[in-house]
Amino acid sequence: MERCVWTERMLAALEAGPKGGKWYSLIDKVASPKALRVAFGHVKRNGGAAGVDYETVKHFEGRLDVEIDAISRALLAVTYRPQPLRRRWIPKAGERGEMRPLGIPTVRDRVVQASLKLVLEPIFEPTFHPDSYGYRPKHSAHQALQRVVGLLEEGRTTVVDVDFRKFFDSIPHERLVALIAERVSDSHVLGLLKSFLEAGILEGEEFQPTTGGTPQGGVISPLLANIYLNGLDQELAAAGHTLTRYADDFVVLCAMEEEAGAALAKIQTWAAVMELTVHPDKTRVVDMRQEQAHFDFLGFRFLCHRKKGTGQQRLYRFVRPASLQKLKDHLRPLTRRNSGRSLKEIVERINRVLRGWLQHFRSAHACVHDRLDQWLRRRLRSLLRRRAKRHGISRGFDHIRWPITFFANRGLVSLAAAHRRFVSPHMR
């Protein structure tokens, strides 16, 4: 909670609950110049592309005082109008030819959304279930993964793996605003929120109205998604089911097949009422006691395998193929054989990608890191082979000409070594 937004009196009200259970006057907090400056700090740290006005964060910062004053006045006068989102398509992880849409707000709109989030998040955060981990203070993807591992080790090996079809694009505006109105009665804040939801999309020169959904790319979208799915979290918990959720990626881990069937039925009923669609092909119940049974969660693939000889069953954490493909698709352009960059610059660019990837996937099985290291070194040897006037891809004695130590001496990050450093303290 930002002290520039939440006074001691308001913090006390958060603890005790506001009068009547609702907050009646919040627009002045959203419009506060101090809150807007803090909000801009968040926007600046996150970076991001320009919106439909093509104004960058740096350009906005150059007129920060003027912009903050203008936004504050417009919010208080209830004349602030968001601009349409700029449509941008990005490849879906590991799915060749498949694209997913991003909606990019202008920097000005991102600042207002961030300020709105500063005000709304502390109101709704105490209502969220503790097993919801996505985009919440003091919660992380690693905590969600560790909870799943712990539940599997406890014997909750029947997994309900759920996928909502086009979740962010499907959230109905009226139901979402109604959920927020249960705790916020400030009509100006609700109107501002609705104006963001209905801002529309600009793709090229074509304007498309938005009649539903909250765009992926909006600053406030993750909070809105948590608000919308919180009812499902609470219903499942009240029925005794064990859910682990990160935004719209979630699993229910059960001790028996009957429990899994009941959980799936409850999810389907809730989704129908809340106007969401449970994907018929991607939603399934998995018995992890079966050989080679698996499910995906947060980019990882959890898989069970019995050891030869002993028959002992072990749980492995790999990386799902789509996430591996996404990494390789990112690295291929950096390691083309005809690259004109120096090896030093190529290694620096590769390292930035690898360090980011390790932040999330460092706990995957050692073989994942070993194979990726080998794949990357082969590509770099092919590049060096071409520069040495040799034809074709890496082969023969190239691994002797350019051994692992050659790349280590040039600073190339080793995923396998990073994995060992991460695992060693846990093993002890």
Side-chain angles (χ1 to χ4, degrees):
M1 286 174 286
E2 295 289 346
R3 294 289 175 163
C4 65
V5 178
W6 293 90
T7 63
E8 292 298 331
R9 182 177 61 82
M10 292 177 71
L11 289 173
L14 270 177
E15 289 288 333
K19 203 170 184 179
K22 291 189 176 185
W23 293 86
Y24 290 90
S25 181
L26 292 171
I27 192 64
D28 59 316
K29 310 300 184 294
V30 179
S32 160
K34 287 184 179 179
L36 290 169
R37 285 182 180 279
V38 172
F40 172 74
H42 290 303
V43 170
K44 182 180 178 180
R45 281 194 294 276
N46 291 333
V52 294
D53 60 358
Y54 294 100
E55 183 173 47
T56 64
V57 173
K58 185 176 181 180
H59 187 252
F60 184 93
E61 186 176 22
R63 307 189 324 278
L64 187 59
D65 291 341
V66 173
E67 290 285 0
I68 294 295
D69 182 64
I71 291 171
S72 179
R73 290 173 182 272
L75 288 171
L76 292 173
V78 199
T79 58
Y80 187 89
R81 296 293 179 268
Q83 292 182 270
L85 302 164
R86 181 166 72 87
R87 171 68 81 216
R88 183 180 175 187
W89 294 88
I90 63 172
K92 275 191 176 181
E95 297 184 29
R96 296 296 177 101
E98 290 288 321
M99 306 290 284
R100 70 180 180 93
L102 284 183
I104 304 173
T106 63
V107 176
R108 189 174 291 103
D109 287 342
R110 297 209 291 269
V111 170
V112 177
Q113 284 191 33
S115 185
L116 192 57
K117 182 174 179 284
L118 290 175
V119 173
L120 292 180
E121 187 172 65
I123 293 172
F124 287 94
E125 176 61 28
T127 71
F128 293 155
H129 194 273
D131 295 327
S132 165
Y133 293 89
Y135 307 103
R136 295 181 58 193
K138 299 181 181 179
H139 291 69
S140 71
H142 289 294
Q143 290 174 336
L145 291 164
Q146 287 305 113
R147 174 163 173 76
V148 167
V149 171
L151 291 170
L152 288 168
E153 290 174 346
E154 286 176 14
R156 292 185 168 273
T157 53
T158 305
V159 181
V160 184
D161 185 5
V162 183
D163 183 270
F164 287 127
R165 180 180 284 174
K166 296 184 177 180
F167 169 72
F168 281 93
D169 295 331
S170 303
I171 298 175
H173 292 166
E174 288 187 12
R175 284 190 177 277
L176 175 59
V177 174
L179 287 173
I180 295 168
E182 290 177 2
R183 295 185 63 82
V184 174
S185 287
D186 189 322
S187 60
H188 297 326
V189 167
L190 294 175
L192 178 63
L193 180 62
K194 199 170 181 182
S195 70
F196 276 118
L197 294 172
E198 298 175 349
I201 301 285
L202 198 63
E203 187 167 3
E205 296 182 357
E206 181 183 350
F207 176 80
Q208 303 169 13
T210 46
T211 56
T214 174
Q216 297 181 62
V219 175
I220 203 169
S221 291
L223 173 62
L224 299 181
N226 279 335
I227 291 171
Y228 203 76
L229 288 172
N230 186 49
L232 176 61
D233 298 346
Q234 304 297 343
E235 279 195 30
L236 288 170
H241 299 301
T242 307
L243 167 119
T244 305
R245 181 171 68 80
Y246 193 96
D248 63 324
D249 191 359
F250 71 98
V251 288
V252 184
L253 288 95
C254 308
M256 297 179 293
E257 189 176 344
E258 294 78 8
E259 181 188 349
L264 180 56
K266 186 169 284 292
I267 292 166
Q268 290 169 329
T269 300
W270 180 89
V273 171
M274 298 301 286
E275 301 178 54
L276 297 176
T277 302
V278 175
H279 201 297
D281 300 324
K282 296 182 180 180
T283 299
R284 60 201 185 105
V285 175
V286 183
D287 184 355
M288 293 295 286
R289 293 169 297 182
Q290 300 296 319
E291 180 69 7
Q292 295 296 311
H294 71 271
F295 67 94
D296 296 340
F297 182 62
L298 290 180
F300 285 84
R301 171 155 292 182
F302 291 85
L303 184 142
C304 278
H305 179 65
R306 293 188 185 279
K307 276 190 169 183
K308 288 183 180 179
T310 65
Q312 181 185 7
Q313 190 178 56
R314 286 197 61 185
L315 174 70
Y316 294 92
R317 195 188 316 184
F318 298 108
V319 177
R320 71 179 182 130
S323 299
L324 282 174
Q325 191 63 54
K326 182 179 179 181
L327 175 66
K328 289 183 176 182
D329 288 346
H330 202 160
L331 290 171
R332 278 192 180 94
L334 304 181
T335 55
R336 288 196 180 102
R337 282 180 285 166
N338 61 357
S339 173
R341 301 182 187 279
S342 68
L343 183 60
K344 179 182 178 182
E345 187 176 356
I346 291 171
V347 167
E348 288 173 352
R349 287 167 173 257
I350 291 171
N351 284 349
R352 284 197 288 271
V353 176
L354 296 182
R355 290 190 183 106
W357 195 81
L358 279 166
Q359 285 296 314
H360 186 66
F361 290 108
R362 61 190 178 182
S363 62
H365 193 275
C367 70
V368 173
H369 303 285
D370 287 332
R371 289 169 185 168
L372 281 171
D373 278 346
Q374 291 166 15
W375 175 85
L376 185 54
R377 286 194 296 265
R378 276 199 304 272
R379 291 190 62 83
L380 288 173
R381 287 183 184 118
S382 294
L383 180 151
L384 293 169
R385 181 183 178 88
R386 179 163 181 158
R387 292 184 179 183
K389 308 300 183 185
R390 292 184 173 92
H391 298 292
I393 61 174
S394 173
R395 61 179 184 269
F397 289 97
D398 288 345
H399 68 286
I400 296 174
R401 293 188 188 99
W402 301 292
I404 295 174
T405 53
F406 172 86
F407 298 106
N409 291 337
R410 279 147 186 83
L412 180 66
V413 166
S414 167
L415 296 174
H419 171 73
R420 287 193 295 272
R421 287 195 296 272
F422 170 73
V423 169
S424 293
H426 296 271
M427 295 296 287
R428 288 197 292 270

